[in-house]
Amino acid sequence: MSLSKQAPLPAWGYALSGAAGAVLANTIVYPLDIIKTKLQVQKIPIRADVEKGAGERGDDDYYEDTADAFLKIYRKHGLFALYNGLPGALLGVASTNFAYFYWYGFLRSSYQRKITNISTVMELIIGAAAGALAQIFTIPVSVVTTRQQTSDDVSGLLQTGREVIGEDGITGLWRGLKASLVLVVNPAITYGMYQRFRELIFKNKVHLSAYDSFFLGALSKAMATIVSQPLIVSKVMLQSKPKSGEPRHKSFVDALIYLAKYEGIRGLFKGIGPQISKGILVQGLLFMFKDQLELLIILLFRFLRASQKRFILMK
């Protein structure tokens, strides 16, 4: 069931189903997350590096595409390297999605009490506000997870967190916050388009099937990813630890300028293949799991209420 339909669920009910759906979806496609992150943080070798042969096929530290990255990571570090940072990543997606869907459900239902029909613009504003609130509270987990994914060392969540604090202080855990706040356009577009496509394509359906939810989630996420990919790349670059000799960017604008200057359009959209693949699969599965979990929670609520009424009558 969509949030656009009235349902006997409090905000935490939507938050719980969203968090559970996100954990299930991200667990399934996590290796793609590792690969797209590594592709996004690597820099195309320039000048002296090219003369040394860096960046040529066969170099284990440079990945040409998704398949090349998968094979090189697997051959060099084994299968478990494709799941490096998984506990932290799941904690991150669970907390972020719980916070997002809580605030989204709360803000949307509060607004609907005053105005029944929500416009597309207002849908985007509510999504952006929910995304901003979620990011402020959950970005430290994202920073630590990104560091784990881009490092060859297998370090625990707490150990990596201490390393980040040791390098940049406690504020290092909020590195990339500005880019993250700008990136709330991604979930805002995703969930805004989901609502609109649902109303257009499945107007007369009260309950969506798992396949319907997957299709809408994948379509919405693909559109949002194409629009926001340069910001996604710059955010990942900010949160990762640069290799020896590579520049450390001070802001997401600095990272965007670097990409545009040295890598052009290709650099601004690097990693978009696995990013879209991962996004389509995760968002499609997330909505598929989330909508079904919402129905289960609603049915559970009805069962508990009916049981309570029977208990009162028996007394």
Side-chain angles (χ1 to χ4, degrees):
M1 176 175 284
S2 168
L3 285 172
S4 64
K5 300 292 181 182
Q6 294 297 321
L9 270 185
W12 67 261
Y14 295 116
L16 183 62
S17 61
V23 167
L24 290 170
N26 278 274
T27 300
I28 293 171
V29 301
Y30 189 74
L32 266 179
D33 197 23
I34 289 276
I35 290 170
K36 68 90 180 172
T37 301
K38 287 186 178 291
L39 285 171
Q40 287 168 352
V41 299
Q42 73 176 2
K43 293 180 172 65
I44 294 176
I46 53 177
R47 293 192 293 275
D49 291 335
V50 174
E51 294 174 7
K52 295 176 184 177
E56 296 175 358
R57 180 169 281 281
D59 182 354
D60 287 342
D61 294 325
Y62 186 82
Y63 310 114
E64 302 228 2
D65 51 38
T66 303
D68 186 47
F70 180 88
L71 290 173
K72 286 179 177 176
I73 293 170
Y74 176 74
R75 287 170 182 169
K76 188 175 181 180
H77 302 289
L79 182 63
F80 287 108
L82 292 166
Y83 292 89
N84 190 20
L86 178 61
L90 295 184
L91 176 62
V93 298
S95 58
T96 300
N97 280 276
F98 186 92
Y100 181 87
F101 282 109
Y102 177 85
W103 288 113
Y104 185 74
F106 176 79
L107 293 173
R108 199 173 194 279
S109 60
S110 298
Y111 185 79
Q112 268 191 322
R113 291 193 193 104
K114 299 177 182 178
I115 302 175
T116 305
N117 296 320
I118 300 179
S119 66
T120 301
V121 173
M122 198 61 211
E123 195 81 66
L124 294 174
I125 291 173
I126 292 172
L133 288 166
Q135 284 297 323
I136 290 170
F137 291 105
T138 62
I139 194 172
V141 180
S142 174
V143 171
V144 173
T145 301
T146 299
R147 179 67 67 90
Q148 285 182 303
Q149 291 178 340
T150 55
S151 174
D152 289 335
D153 299 325
V154 181
S155 300
L157 189 68
L158 294 178
Q159 182 182 344
T160 306
R162 284 194 290 267
E163 289 175 5
V164 173
I165 295 173
E167 293 172 9
D168 300 319
I170 192 69
T171 56
L173 292 173
W174 276 267
R175 187 172 176 81
L177 177 60
K178 290 181 181 178
S180 296
L181 292 178
V182 174
L183 268 171
V184 298
V185 299
N186 189 292
I189 293 172
T190 301
Y191 299 118
M193 289 300 97
Y194 181 89
Q195 297 293 348
R196 287 295 166 255
F197 284 142
R198 187 190 193 287
E199 292 166 5
L200 288 171
I201 301 173
F202 302 107
K203 187 175 181 179
N204 298 319
K205 271 197 173 184
V206 177
H207 302 302
L208 296 181
S209 70
Y211 299 109
D212 295 338
S213 297
F214 183 92
F215 170 73
L216 289 181
L219 178 62
S220 303
K221 190 63 176 181
M223 293 182 64
T225 300
I226 292 171
V227 171
S228 58
Q229 181 67 8
L231 293 173
I232 294 172
V233 175
S234 65
K235 176 193 170 187
V236 172
M237 289 173 65
L238 273 177
Q239 294 179 341
S240 66
K241 184 177 181 179
K243 294 182 179 180
S244 178
E246 290 184 345
R248 182 161 195 177
H249 304 290
K250 298 177 181 178
S251 66
F252 75 94
V253 174
D254 180 40
L256 285 172
I257 291 173
Y258 177 93
L259 289 169
K261 182 178 180 181
Y262 292 107
E263 302 184 26
I265 297 296
R266 179 185 173 188
L268 291 170
F269 287 88
K270 63 183 176 182
I272 194 167
Q275 181 78 48
I276 285 187
S277 299
K278 180 237 177 184
I280 286 175
L281 287 171
V282 167
Q283 209 66 41
L285 290 170
L286 189 157
F287 275 112
M288 184 174 76
F289 292 141
K290 173 182 170 294
D291 285 354
Q292 301 310 307
L293 287 168
E294 280 182 13
L295 287 173
L296 288 175
I297 293 173
I298 290 170
L299 291 173
L300 178 61
F301 267 35
R302 289 176 179 172
F303 173 76
L304 292 174
R305 286 170 182 165
S307 298
Q308 185 181 30
K309 288 180 180 178
R310 283 197 296 270
F311 179 76
I312 292 172
L313 290 173
M314 287 173 65
K315 293 177 68 176

